[in-house]
Every structure is written in C-alpha cells, then in structure tokens.
Amino acid sequence: MSLRQLLDQVYRHAGIAHKRDISVLTPYMPALPTGLHPNGDDTAALPHPYGHTLFAIEGFIEEFVEHDPWFAGWCGVMVNVSDIAAMGGRPNAIVNAIWDKGGSKAELLMQGMRDAANAFGVSIVGGHTNLRANQTQLAVAILGHANNVLSSFAARPGQALVAAIDLRGKYRPPFLNWDAATFAPPERLRGDISLLSEIADKQLASAAKDISQAGLLGTTVMLLECSGVGAEINLNTIPRPDGVAWSDWLCSFPSFGYLLATDHANVPELLGTFSGRGICAAEIGRIVREPMLNLRDGDEYETFWNLNSSSLMGLGRGAYRVDETKKSLTKQEDYPCPL
C-alpha cells in the first residue's frame, strides 16, 4: 500500500467523521467571557486562584455500550481521566448518566466504572439513572485541577511533535481499542497518568492532546487546528506495536496515548520522562507555520489534511493565536468562538 492509499484509508475512518460533527454546532456557540480558556480543548479550563479547574464530559457510542458494557463503563472513567491529564491536570471527581432498559447492562456499566475509578484513584460522587429507557446509553463528566495548563492552542512553529503511547497492550475486539489498562497494576496506571501533570509543572511541553477516537492523525489535525499551525510527520518514527498494520494503528484509540508539542531543548528530558515508566515515546515530526498535516514515508511525501481549505472542527484558520510576548491566548475577533 502506498502512502497515499494509506492516508486515504485513514481519512475515511469513522472516528474522524465523528469529530467533524463538531463543526455543525460550532456556529451556535455563544462567545466566552473575556479571560476564559477557549472552547475546543480536551477540557474546559476555568481560572482558579491556584491554576485552573478542569471540567469535561464524554458520551459513548451506542454500539460500543451495547456490545461491551463493562468496558464501556471502564472507558467512561479512563477517557475522562485522560482528558484531564492531557491538560496537565489531576482528576478529582466523576459523575455519570446511565440509561438502560431493565438494568442488567446498567449494572455492568457501573461495575466497569467502579473498577476503573478504584484503579485510577478517582471518586464517583453522583449521577443520573434511568432504567426505563429504550436502549443503553452512557455519559460521564469529570472535574480536575491543573497548576499549569497544557493546551491544544499553544503549539508553535519550530517545536518538535512528540507521541507517547503505552504499547504494553492488545486490541479488545471488535473495535480498534488498544487496551493497555484493564489488566495493568493500579499503581502503574496512577503513576503513568500523573506524568502529564508533572510535565506541565516542569514546563517540558506547551501543548498536548489525548489521542482520541479520531486516531493519531485525526487528533493531530485537531491540535493543529486549535493552534492555527501545521506539522510534518515521519511515519516510521511513530511508536507502533509489533505486528500491527499502519492502516489499523493510525485509526486506533490507545488507552494511553498523547501528542505533545515542545521546544527541541526539552525533547531528551520529555522522552526520558515517559521511557522511565516503560512508555514508548518518540519525536515524530515538527510543527510548521503552514496549516497542513503532511507525512513522509521514505521517498513518499503526501498531504493528509489541508486546514487552509478544510476545517475539521469548524474553528477556521487563525481563530486563536498565541501572544508570544505574554504567552497567552488572544481571540481573533473575525472568527466565531469555537466549540
């Protein structure tokens, strides 16, 4: 398979289409009050006297919840914890909303959430229950705190793009969910997830994003769109498990997977922070000024996404920029507030 064929296949991945749905609602989002972190990141970040309060929510695909309710419950906790970590934060508390017809799958959902909450050391403090619905559904929200925020809006041209992924796992069929968590010791999970807050506190990176259902390349596009920049990636530097095809791996949802933008001087320490805990991390490319995602594989060089002509989330080119003197985010007034 050529690089062009591979990228075309990944482009058609359903996870990217789900993220593109965000752009339908972007025009209806009201403007945020002055001083608030922009919408479009892994979590909302609300100013706090000692950093930021982080607030996020996840809803889960019905097919996934119906097929594997225990794992869906586990993921309800895990992906929210990951979103808090991607912002440089630590999780505090979780609430959920569960719908089911009768309650048998709702019990499995709660068992999965309980097991994951115990493993990650976060409390489930409330929620909403409806056992008289027509189908099983799950939504989970989380609160956390960050001393220093890692933001999708803070990648800058000239920085290195780093991928950190826990490869000590396996697929949980029939979906491309790479599970390196459900069988891991809780102490290891807690230590691993705390790496992102340590990185933020040490200022080893400026931007980060949790690799989501959009896969590694789709998540990269989301990061680039928020920052109004582009990137060039060397395909064969991306951490990948042995025996897994690129066509699957680039569409996979890893239980621990992050993209980070950092200055080149920080790369050795950043990579060592992950490798010290057995997590595979590598510099996979560089951030560039032109808002396009291009990939190289040997002599092949192809464009995956051109943000000049096609938005993913509806932010539009240059919706926000980083004020280099103040290291703060400034809204461009001719663009609507993004979702």
Side-chain angles (χ1 to χ4, degrees), residues 42 58 78-83 85-87 152 208-213 215 219 222 253-259:
D42 285 85
E58 293 279 353
M78 181 181 70
V79 300
N80 273 287
V81 168
S82 294
D83 282 344
M87 298 290 291
S152 297
K209 199 156 189 71
D210 173 38
I211 299 175
S212 69
Q213 207 146 24
T219 303
M222 296 170 73
F253 190 167
S255 60
F256 184 104
Y258 297 90
L259 297 168

Side-chain angles (χ1 to χ4, degrees), residues 78 82 164-167 178 180 189 192-193 195-196 210 254-258 274 279:
M78 181 181 70
S82 294
I165 307 173
D166 191 345
L167 303 183
W178 183 257
L189 290 177
D192 291 350
I193 209 71
L195 290 178
L196 279 299
D210 173 38
S255 60
F256 184 104
Y258 297 90
F274 289 109
I279 296 167

Side-chain angles (χ1 to χ4, degrees), residues 5 7 19 35 41 50 64 97 100 104 172 238 282 298 312 319 337:
Q5 290 171 322
L7 297 185
K19 297 301 182 183
D41 224 322
Y50 303 101
F64 173 47
D100 193 20
S104 59
R172 190 176 178 103
I238 297 173
L312 176 55
C337 181

Side-chain angles (χ1 to χ4, degrees), residues 158-325:
Q159 290 187 313
L161 181 64
V162 169
I165 307 173
D166 191 345
L167 303 183
R168 299 167 292 186
K170 59 185 178 181
Y171 282 117
R172 190 176 178 103
F175 307 105
L176 291 176
N177 294 319
W178 183 257
D179 178 15
T182 59
F183 49 84
E187 295 79 11
R188 193 181 90 192
L189 290 177
R190 297 176 192 182
D192 291 350
I193 209 71
S194 70
L195 290 178
L196 279 299
S197 59
E198 295 172 13
I199 288 166
D201 290 346
K202 293 180 180 179
Q203 298 184 328
L204 293 180
S206 62
K209 199 156 189 71
D210 173 38
I211 299 175
S212 69
Q213 207 146 24
L216 187 144
L217 297 185
T219 303
T220 302
V221 174
M222 296 170 73
L223 170 63
L224 301 179
E225 185 170 356
C226 286
S227 289
V229 296
E232 296 178 348
I233 290 177
N234 186 336
L235 179 69
N236 288 296
T237 61
I238 297 173
R240 176 177 57 145
D242 294 336
V244 176
W246 281 119
S247 56
D248 285 339
W249 187 239
L250 293 178
C251 297
S252 296
F253 190 167
S255 60
F256 184 104
Y258 297 90
L259 297 168
L260 302 101
T262 185
D263 295 339
H264 284 276
N266 293 328
V267 169
E269 186 175 356
L270 182 61
L271 298 183
T273 298
F274 289 109
S275 64
R277 294 195 59 85
I279 296 167
C280 190
E283 181 179 348
I284 65 170
R286 64 191 183 103
I287 305 296
V288 298
R289 190 167 300 279
E290 186 66 20
M292 302 172 68
L293 176 55
N294 297 314
L295 279 88
R296 184 180 300 280
D297 182 19
D299 294 332
E300 296 181 88
Y301 187 79
E302 299 284 353
T303 297
F304 178 70
W305 204 289
N306 184 348
L307 285 162
N308 284 309
S309 57
S310 180
S311 169
L312 176 55
M313 298 184 293
L315 273 65
R317 183 178 179 182
Y320 289 85
R321 63 179 172 82
V322 175
D323 185 325
E324 293 293 344
T325 60

Side-chain angles (χ1 to χ4, degrees), residues 35-37 43-55 87 89-90 92 144-149:
L36 286 187
H37 190 82
T43 81
L46 309 175
H48 183 278
Y50 303 101
H52 285 82
T53 295
L54 306 178
F55 185 28
M87 298 290 291
R90 298 168 175 84
N92 289 340
H145 178 83
N147 298 322
N148 297 291
V149 168

Side-chain angles (χ1 to χ4, degrees), residues 57-67 69-70 72-73 95-110 113 126-141:
I57 187 170
E58 293 279 353
F60 291 83
I61 298 171
E62 294 166 10
E63 182 183 5
F64 173 47
V65 175
E66 286 281 352
H67 175 78
W70 180 88
V95 296
N96 60 25
I98 294 176
W99 295 262
D100 193 20
K101 186 176 183 178
S104 59
K105 289 183 178 177
E107 292 180 11
L108 291 171
L109 285 170
M110 276 304 303
M113 288 196 67
H128 168 83
T129 303
N130 178 359
L131 302 185
R132 303 172 189 274
N134 293 323
Q135 59 191 11
T136 310
Q137 293 179 275
L138 174 67
V140 182

